[in-house]
Structure formats: structure tokens, C-alpha cells
Amino acid sequence: MSDDKPPSTQASWLDRLVNLLSPTPDNREQLSAILQKSHDSKVIDRDALEIMEGALRVGETQAREIMIPRSQMELIQSDAKLTQVLEQIIESGHSRFPVVGESSEDIIGILLAKDLLPLVLDSVEDLDICSMVRPASIVPESKRLGVLLREFREQRYHMAMVVDEYGSVSGLLTIEDILEEIVGEIEDETDEEELPQIRRLDEIHWLVEAQTEIEDFNEEFETGLSEEGFDTIGGFVTNILGHLPEVGEKVAVDSLRFEVIKADDRKIDLLKLHVRAD
């Protein structure tokens, strides 16, 4: 009697995938088509397909494409008091913060919220932030996310400051931002349900988040606002007024009237839009 085991009547999913990958694809489009075919043939499920496609995208995506822009960065001033920093940490829910000096270009380092816990427990009042920050990793806007992810893992850091070709800070990136490009949105217990950027109040009034892209605004309201020199509706309104608006200021553009509902000394956060009838 032969000791040989009878051949399997059904090839393993790995064998089937190898068969589908022959011949070797020459470019990303061919590989994507093979992955889609693998899903259609039930070799891989939808989740696996999306993760593989996400990994392919990350390999070709640059830091500038997914970074948090400088206008949205949560910064801590190097001379801030402990109570001020704690309030900022609680309000934002973040765990890491760029620490800056006289301007947002003067990046001193990265502060970890957990490093403040001993000070709180010991009731320390004086805070020397500069002695607590960790070195900031600086990467160019053109950095490929695949390379950056590998550096995150090898060097064991979680945040990088992104600079443009002139060395000016243009934004920041975290390891979570890159992973979300691969596996999709990662939410934790501190994340709140995200509201739409444009919310209708009644027939002629809307609430509009200032960070709404002008392209999205134009599509929603069938308008043709210029994107020259700025990307967001907040930037558009600021440009029209010629200064950083205060809460309550209004500006009209054609049939649109904007009112600043929420703002601080650096940016607009929320606008109320009144659309006049033609």
C-alpha cells in the first residue's frame, strides 16, 4: 500500500492566488486587476482586497496628500502654563502635540501628554515644556508614505512634521494617518461622530465648516467661487474681508451671505450661510 497521501481535491487559497498571479504583473494596474479577479473568484474576501489596495496606494502617495495642514494643527506654546496645556489636551483629546516658540515655524519638539502625568500627581505648578519635549522628526512634502511608515516603525516615533521645499512647516502626519490609508478609518472611544461639513438649517440657511473645500462647496451649491490662492471656504471669506474675521462679521458674495459663527485668533471654524433667492 502506498504511503502517498491523495492529492487535495481543492487547492488552498494560497495556491489559487499564486496561480492568479501568473504571469507576474508588470505594473500597478495589472496587479490591481489580478487582486480584483482574486476577490471575484473568492480567493480573498472584501476586507483583504481593500487592505491590499490600500497598501498599493500608500506606496505611491506623498505626505502632502494626507497631512494635517498647518492651519488645523493643535500647537502648544513653549511658555504655556501647566493648566493651559492640560485644558488644551482635554479639549483636543490628542496624545501628542508639536511645541512651538515664537511662531508656528519654530518647532521645538513633540510633547507627549503622558509625560505630564507625574507633574499632575506631584502638584507641580511651574512647567518647563522645553525640557520635556522629544525631538521632532522632519520630513518633506514629497516623502512617500510607504517609506515614512517604515521609518515610523524602525525609529519608533509616531508623528512627523511636514515641510515644503523652502523648509516652512506645512503640516504634520501621524502613523495612524498612514495606517488609515491602508485599513480605513480607525476610531477609538474618544472619537466623536463626525458631522457633515455642510448642514442645512432651513430652506435658506446652512452651517458650513470653515475647512470645507471650495470645490465641495461649489458642487453643493452649484456656485463658481474662485479657488485662486486658497482651498477652503474659510480662506475664501478671510480673503474677501482682508483680515482674520471676528465672530459676528458678515460678508456677501453674489447671492451668498456668510456670517462668522465660531473663530479664534488664528482661524475661522464655523460659518452660517444665507442663500438669498434670485
Side-chain angles (χ1 to χ4, degrees):
M1 180 182 293
S2 175
D3 293 331
D4 294 338
K5 295 181 179 180
S8 173
T9 58
Q10 183 177 7
S12 70
W13 70 268
L14 182 58
D15 292 334
R16 294 164 64 194
L17 182 57
V18 169
N19 291 335
L20 287 167
L21 288 174
S22 300
T24 303
D26 296 321
N27 51 54
R28 176 182 167 181
E29 288 71 25
Q30 290 182 8
L31 179 55
S32 295
I34 290 173
L35 291 175
Q36 184 61 55
K37 183 179 179 182
S38 300
H39 171 261
D40 296 341
S41 302
K42 302 188 184 307
V43 177
I44 57 177
D45 61 20
R46 170 57 59 181
D47 290 338
L49 174 62
E50 291 178 351
I51 290 174
M52 291 178 184
E53 290 180 334
L56 289 177
R57 287 194 301 272
V58 160
E60 297 185 353
T61 303
Q62 296 180 332
R64 64 164 61 90
E65 298 178 56
I66 71 163
M67 69 180 183
I68 299 169
R70 184 170 65 177
S71 62
Q72 298 179 34
M73 286 167 35
E74 193 72 37
L75 305 174
I76 287 181
Q77 300 295 321
S78 60
D79 59 353
K81 303 296 183 183
L82 179 58
T83 54
Q84 295 174 318
V85 175
L86 292 176
E87 289 175 0
Q88 194 169 349
I89 290 173
I90 292 171
E91 182 178 350
S92 68
H94 299 323
S95 59
R96 291 174 173 79
F97 300 83
V99 175
V100 298
E102 295 182 357
S103 72
S104 59
E105 295 291 339
D106 182 18
I107 302 294
I108 296 174
I110 305 298
L111 177 68
L112 274 60
K114 67 179 183 179
D115 290 342
L116 297 178
L117 292 178
L119 302 183
V120 176
L121 294 174
D122 294 338
S123 300
V124 175
E125 295 184 2
D126 295 330
L127 174 63
D128 181 10
I129 294 181
C130 294
S131 67
M132 303 183 66
V133 299
R134 310 198 180 191
S137 176
I138 309 296
V139 302
E141 290 182 343
S142 58
K143 189 85 168 185
R144 299 287 180 179
L145 297 187
V147 177
L148 182 55
L149 179 59
R150 183 174 68 248
E151 292 178 357
F152 273 144
R153 294 174 58 197
E154 293 175 349
Q155 300 177 27
R156 302 180 66 182
Y157 59 85
H158 292 254
M159 175 182 288
M161 307 305 300
V162 183
V163 297
D164 61 21
E165 58 185 309
Y166 304 105
S168 297
V169 176
S170 53
L172 65 79
L173 262 178
T174 68
I175 191 171
E176 182 177 279
D177 295 325
I178 301 178
L179 292 176
E180 286 184 342
E181 290 295 303
I182 300 175
V183 302
E185 191 74 19
I186 300 173
E187 296 185 357
D188 59 33
E189 63 275 10
T190 64
D191 290 335
E192 297 180 359
E193 184 177 353
E194 187 173 346
L195 295 173
Q197 289 190 310
I198 301 174
R199 306 187 288 278
R200 188 168 192 164
L201 298 176
D202 54 40
E203 291 298 319
I204 59 175
H205 294 100
W206 283 260
L207 287 179
V208 181
E209 299 287 340
Q211 295 304 317
T212 301
E213 299 284 336
I214 294 180
E215 180 180 355
D216 295 336
F217 182 92
N218 284 334
E219 181 178 349
E220 177 72 21
F221 295 101
E222 298 182 352
T223 52
L225 300 184
S226 172
E227 300 178 49
E228 189 69 29
F230 31 80
D231 300 318
T232 66
I233 198 65
F236 176 83
V237 170
T238 300
N239 181 71
I240 293 294
L241 288 171
H243 62 270
L244 186 62
E246 297 180 355
V247 173
E249 283 197 69
K250 300 177 182 179
V251 62
V253 181
D254 299 327
S255 62
L256 308 174
R257 187 178 69 198
F258 297 95
E259 178 181 356
V260 179
I261 299 298
K262 184 179 179 182
D264 56 28
D265 57 358
R266 294 180 298 170
K267 66 183 185 307
I268 305 174
D269 291 315
L270 185 64
L271 295 159
K272 184 177 181 180
L273 172 65
H274 174 206
V275 179
R276 300 192 304 271
D278 294 333

